[in-house]
Amino acid sequence: MKFGGTSVGSAERIQNVANLIADKGKNIIVLSAMAGTTNTLVEISDYLYKRNIDGAKETINNLEKKYRATIDALYSTDAARQEANTEIKACFNYIRSLTKDIFTLFEEKEILAQGEIMSTVMMNLYLHEKGIKSELLPALEYMKTDKNGEPDNHYIRQRLNNLLDKHAEADLYITQGYICRNAYGEIDNLQRGGSDYSASLIGAAISAEEIQIWTDIDGMHNNDPRFVENTSPVEKLNFEEAAELAYFGAKILHPTCIQPAKLNNIPVRLLNTLDPSAKGTLIGNDSIHTAIKAVAAKDNITAIKIKSGRMLLAYGFLRKVFEIFESHKTAIDMVVTSEVGVSVTIDSEKNLDNILEDLRKFGTVTIDRDMVIICVVGDLEWQNRGFEAKAIEALKDIPVRMISYGGSNYNISFLIRKEDKIKALQLLSSHLF
Ligand code: ASP
Ligand code: MG
């Protein structure tokens, strides 16, 4: 059971989660840092890189004050308060000890790790105060990546199961999401938002019955509730559909979380801490057929078109184009081709100038900025009739820059202008659901 930052974002929310997990049996509970903490730790690291020690210290002090206040509100006995204060103080003193000299990437990772360490310590002590024999499993003792930065599944499985055996008498287990060690034994992490990935890797390592991701919304919705009224949770998705949605904008689940669950065939259930009895979304191997399930949008997309007479009847043209993106370490999202040109989209302009310079050797290059990918997800097997037509019909008054269909059985993507996004999401909802 994984709980995100807002689910443990205050004393009251921590108590709420504690009540929720207390009677659910001998589960492994994976926690994020309290909401806002990781961002603040990033901020502190930025100050330290810039040698702004005063800025760093002030931010550290303010964050510590917040934790003090949370501890005061969370526990009912002075003994528990004192124990929590001692532990949290040790974390902050550790962060302060890194402000003294040259600041390195390695030290930044150590700072970033403190958020999850603190939230789990606080939860564990709170459960003890409630009389629950919970055991803290330090992620740094079992969660590990290899030389390629990929999870070392064999190591994780072995070490985690050893830890569980060692503490077989516990009522339940608390552990940190996000943090790990790398192949060299240094403290590292699974990238921002990585706690979902932790939960999925842990579920796979213990062959769990189910991986539960608890957030503040009752499952994955069929459209973005910020822009569209009357969205509703999707009851069931298969792993492919969920992966498309997670990647193309449904912020509720980190895309990396799907893979370990899928490989080990462990269902993932998305649930709501604020409404624990709501059904949520179940992600598994089967799905509901011949239906469009959901719509999502991905912002800040740049489209690049390369037109070339030389592409006509030529082979190897696409390879050359793709190699340019590869050499500038830029991932391509959408691709459409015609006989005389190819258009692709990217979601990072970091290396755009270099990419454009290289592409111009192959033809005329034009770009469109501030675009949005609208992704329609469901059972879109090509033999099913009418689904593409319905989606296109919904968007008939919106200028569409690219359409991609048939790449998988689960998605149609449309590239449109940013200013048309909300209208497009609303139109799709009213036509499809
Ligand atoms: N605390 C980390 C972050 O904010 C990891 C997570 O919450 O998933 O990115
Ligand atoms: Mg998250």
Side-chain angles (χ1 to χ4, degrees), residues 384-399:
N384 298 341
R385 270 166 244 198
F387 291 111
E388 319 79 273
K390 258 195 195 162
I392 288 172
E393 170 70 20
L395 297 179
K396 70 175 192 295
D397 291 325
I398 288 183

Side-chain angles (χ1 to χ4, degrees), residues 8 58 145 185 201 217 223 232 247 268 287 319-320 339 345 350 356 386 407 413:
V8 292
E58 194 189 326
T145 53
L201 292 169
I217 183 167
N223 206 327
S232 53
Y247 181 70
V268 177
S287 161
R319 177 177 59 77
K320 286 178 196 141
E339 194 47 47
T345 69
K350 210 170 126 203
L356 294 179
S413 297

Side-chain angles (χ1 to χ4, degrees), residues 32-33 38 116 178 192-195:
S32 287
T38 309
E116 271 71 11
Y178 176 58
R192 294 303 306 272
S195 292

Side-chain angles (χ1 to χ4, degrees), residues 91-104:
C91 293
F92 281 102
N93 285 344
Y94 182 66
I95 297 175
R96 284 193 189 92
S97 76
L98 301 174
T99 62
K100 303 236 159 73
D101 50 15
I102 296 246
F103 192 66
T104 62

Side-chain angles (χ1 to χ4, degrees), residues 2-5 30-33 38-39 42 112 116 176-179 189-201 213 215 246 250-258:
K2 180 260 171 176
F3 294 86
V30 182
L31 301 183
S32 287
T38 309
N39 285 342
V42 169
L112 294 183
E116 271 71 11
Q176 301 88 16
Y178 176 58
I179 65 176
N189 60 61
L190 300 171
Q191 315 277 338
R192 294 303 306 272
S195 292
D196 294 351
Y197 196 21
S198 301
S200 183
L201 292 169
I213 307 288
T215 64
K251 286 280 167 333
I252 175 167
L253 182 67
H254 199 271
T256 52
C257 169
I258 308 286

Side-chain angles (χ1 to χ4, degrees), residues 29-84:
I29 315 301
V30 182
L31 301 183
S32 287
M34 291 179 75
T37 294
T38 309
N39 285 342
T40 306
L41 296 173
V42 169
E43 209 180 296
I44 292 166
S45 303
D46 286 344
Y47 279 130
L48 291 174
Y49 276 125
K50 294 180 188 132
R51 298 310 299 154
N52 180 348
I53 308 301
D54 291 340
K57 284 195 170 148
E58 194 189 326
T59 315
I60 297 169
N61 292 344
N62 287 339
L63 187 65
E64 186 170 15
K65 266 188 218 142
K66 262 174 59 184
Y67 275 80
R68 286 262 156 98
T70 308
I71 288 171
D72 275 344
L74 178 58
Y75 303 98
S76 52
T77 65
D78 280 339
R81 267 188 211 113
Q82 206 170 21
E83 205 178 337

